[in-house]
Amino acid sequence: MSAASCLLTEDQFLCSICLDVFTDPVSTPCGHNFCKACISQHWDIAVQCQCPNCKEVFNIKPELRVNTFISEMAAQFRRSAQQKASSSSSEQHVVQPGEVPCDACTGTRLKALKSCLVCLQSYCETHLEPHLKNTGLKRHQLIYPEENLEGRTCVKHDKLLELFCKSDQVCVCMLCTVSDHKMHDVVPLKEGYEGKKAELRKTEAETQQMIQKRRLKIQEMNRSVELSKEGADREIADGVQVFTALKESVERSQAELMDTIKEKQRETEEQAEGFIKELEQEVSELEKRSSEVEQLSRSEDQLHLLQSVTSLSAAPPTKNWTEVRVRPPSYEGTVKRAVTQLEETLRKQMKKLLEVKLKRVQQYEVEVELKRVQQYEVEVTLDPDTAQPKLILSADGKQVNCGDVKKNLPDSPERFDSWACVFAKQSFSSGRFYYEVQVKGKTNWDLGVAKESINRKGKISLTPPKGYWTIWLRNGHEYQALAGPGVRLSLKSQPQKVGVFVDYEEGLVSFYDVYAAALIYSFTGCCFKEKLYPFFNPCNNQSGQNSAPLIISPVNQPEQASPQ
């Protein structure tokens, strides 16, 4: 029996109805074999009694008996298959929670490798073999394992859902297209799938964009909170400074007022003391004379009195005190003058505070404006076809400096031939754009934008009438906006990175000191009618003093080191 079973293929032991090994196999008059229960159930529901394989019709339902030979062969094959499954189960994965189990496993259920959309069953490696070898089963559609396979069939017609109704946005079977969904826009499932995938990708992109915008808004709000806290701290510091100065001024004015009053009182006391001392001196001398006169007047000796009167000392000189007064000092206006002086001090403090606040508001507005224009950042790379032959461009087109050797390059109309200038590859003829250039370590440079039609040969004039909107640095400290005539720029600090912003329709070109968050200069009222190109001039080396490159760098990126 074992040798005989080896001569038969595995497909010959499978019922073509249940696709499993025969159970109680029976043979039809046409010679095909089926499980007794499978063929009996098939004939019970079928309109005609016919063979499922060859479609031969039987007028009288055949009497079926179990084919003992095939039954024994199938039993042996089943045992062999079970032994094979048992030996390979260690190699296959036992189903775990969350995984799809094999529907054909009777003992320990293994993890399914595929699900069949025709059989609506999931199979492990062993039970999947018939679908990989049997010619009829190979036509079945296999997918990655899924649990709810019943959900892939039409509940009304019990047919596979293989179409998509775009009108009702539902999956349908073939029979649905001639009934409920007749005249609807129906496409194959794959086409509907691709369409929905495209919509989902678009939705995902839109969602990511919305997420990015909201993250930027969160950053903006967090920055606003930080700025608000910084502003609150500055206001508190300013308030403390003003009120401390006011308090000191009040205390100083109070002390000065008291000193003034005390000084006047002291002067009055000194004047009175002088008068009193003088009066007391006169009183002493008068009392002395009075004593002499009184003593002489008591004499009874007539001769003595008359002789003594002539020798009596003359009356001491005295002052006419009738109009002499010690008047209390007048304090009228003293307090008023002190308060007026205090008000003047407060006014000066308030003016100083307002000037500081105005500068801070202007600084904050520039910071906000810089954050706004940085949202229009664009990709900018240098165009080697426009570079003057002495210029050295980096491989990524982001850095440029001037060398000492003039390279032998084609003198095309696009190339600058005298000045060490280069354009970007990108041009702009509408909208807004922004980019940043690191200028650290340079003593001379030119930056800005220029029209496509500008003169690139010989001596050039970097002015708006000639199609250039630029600023430059000379001698390490002289900044100028080349507005024709030039405008000398007084900057508080030397920019290490310069931001360039252009609003094409508005006719605006602005330059920013990125790290200081300060506006350097703006060209306004410009009239643009053709393409604009970012313009760069690293200027000559000057014996190595200006050898550092101009570096195009992304927004919010730290300073880059110059190449050695």
Side-chain angles (χ1 to χ4, degrees), residues 331-350:
Y331 301 108
E332 183 179 355
T334 305
V335 175
K336 183 178 180 180
R337 283 191 296 273
V339 172
T340 300
Q341 185 177 359
L342 186 61
E343 289 175 347
E344 179 64 18
T345 301
L346 180 60
R347 187 186 65 79
K348 290 180 179 179
Q349 287 290 333
M350 288 302 297

Side-chain angles (χ1 to χ4, degrees), residues 112-217:
L113 296 183
K114 294 287 182 180
S115 295
C116 178
L117 294 180
V118 178
C119 305
L120 297 181
Q121 296 281 315
S122 298
Y123 300 107
C124 64
E125 182 179 356
T126 301
H127 293 105
L128 183 64
E129 287 186 11
H131 279 79
L132 303 177
K133 297 180 179 180
N134 187 293
T135 305
L137 297 179
K138 283 182 178 180
R139 293 193 292 268
H140 289 193
Q141 184 178 356
L142 300 176
I143 63 172
Y144 287 107
E146 290 197 13
E147 286 190 299
N148 186 24
L149 292 174
E150 292 78 7
R152 292 178 169 270
T153 58
C154 177
V155 295
K156 185 174 183 180
H157 302 108
D158 199 25
K159 296 290 183 181
L160 190 64
L161 297 173
E162 50 189 352
L163 299 170
F164 180 70
C165 178
K166 296 174 72 175
S167 303
D168 293 337
Q169 295 290 300
V170 293
C171 296
V172 296
C173 69
M174 290 295 296
L175 294 180
C176 290
T177 61
V178 296
S179 57
D180 298 340
H181 297 270
K182 188 177 181 180
M183 304 302 292
H184 285 192
D185 185 7
V186 178
V187 298
L189 205 61
K190 184 176 181 181
E191 183 178 337
Y193 166 83
E194 294 296 339
K196 285 297 178 186
K197 284 274 285 188
E199 290 180 11
L200 289 174
R201 283 193 294 268
K202 182 180 178 182
T203 301
E204 173 65 10
E206 292 174 349
T207 303
Q208 288 298 326
Q209 189 176 13
M210 293 172 66
I211 291 172
Q212 185 62 23
K213 287 183 178 179
R214 279 151 182 78
R215 283 177 175 167
L216 289 174
K217 182 59 70 174

Side-chain angles (χ1 to χ4, degrees), residues 250-471:
V250 169
E251 292 174 348
R252 186 168 55 252
S253 297
Q254 180 183 4
E256 290 175 355
L257 174 64
M258 295 177 66
D259 289 343
T260 299
I261 294 174
K262 288 180 179 179
E263 178 63 22
K264 288 186 176 183
Q265 175 63 22
R266 185 183 62 77
E267 291 176 354
T268 300
E269 290 177 355
E270 288 179 353
Q271 182 186 43
E273 287 175 359
F275 289 157
I276 291 171
K277 186 176 181 180
E278 190 176 351
L279 285 169
E280 286 177 346
Q281 180 66 31
E282 289 188 1
V283 168
S284 176
E285 292 178 356
L286 289 172
E287 284 179 345
K288 181 179 178 181
R289 179 176 174 78
S290 174
S291 177
E292 292 177 355
V293 170
E294 181 183 2
Q295 184 178 359
L296 185 59
S297 64
R298 289 178 182 175
S299 174
E300 297 295 333
D301 186 344
Q302 296 177 354
L303 179 63
H304 174 71
L305 185 148
L306 292 174
Q307 287 178 340
S308 296
V309 166
T310 56
S311 61
L312 187 67
S313 60
T318 58
K319 188 175 181 178
N320 184 2
W321 296 93
T322 305
E323 301 298 331
V324 176
R325 299 283 191 276
V326 177
R327 294 181 175 83
S330 173
Y331 301 108
E332 183 179 355
T334 305
V335 175
K336 183 178 180 180
R337 283 191 296 273
V339 172
T340 300
Q341 185 177 359
L342 186 61
E343 289 175 347
E344 179 64 18
T345 301
L346 180 60
R347 187 186 65 79
K348 290 180 179 179
Q349 287 290 333
M350 288 302 297
K351 182 180 179 181
K352 181 179 178 181
L353 177 62
L354 290 174
E355 290 174 351
V356 172
K357 288 174 67 65
L358 179 60
K359 290 180 180 178
R360 287 176 179 167
V361 169
Q362 291 173 342
Q363 176 68 23
Y364 173 75
E365 289 176 348
V366 173
E367 288 181 9
V368 172
E369 177 67 14
L370 181 56
K371 289 290 185 184
R372 183 186 69 82
V373 302
Q374 284 178 332
Q375 298 177 8
Y376 298 100
E377 180 186 13
V378 294
E379 178 68 18
V380 173
T381 51
L382 301 169
D383 184 0
D385 293 336
T386 66
Q388 194 259 3
K390 280 189 176 182
L391 293 183
I392 302 173
L393 276 60
S394 61
D396 61 0
K398 294 295 184 180
Q399 302 187 25
V400 58
N401 64 320
C402 188
D404 297 322
V405 179
K406 190 173 184 179
K407 297 185 287 294
N408 185 18
L409 298 174
D411 187 18
S412 62
E414 293 80 16
R415 189 180 303 281
F416 290 91
D417 65 350
S418 296
W419 281 32
C421 304
V422 61
F423 268 178
K425 291 181 179 180
Q426 295 76 13
S427 65
F428 305 90
S429 55
S430 64
R432 301 164 180 168
F433 62 93
Y434 175 86
Y435 59 93
E436 293 182 351
V437 183
Q438 181 178 310
V439 296
K440 181 181 179 181
K442 296 195 65 62
T443 58
N444 296 275
W445 50 257
D446 304 341
L447 287 177
V449 294
K451 296 192 301 185
E452 183 179 30
S453 62
I454 53 93
N455 174 40
R456 310 183 192 196
K457 306 299 181 181
K459 186 177 181 180
I460 58 178
S461 176
L462 302 181
T463 61
K466 298 297 183 179
Y468 293 88
W469 290 266
T470 60
I471 62 172

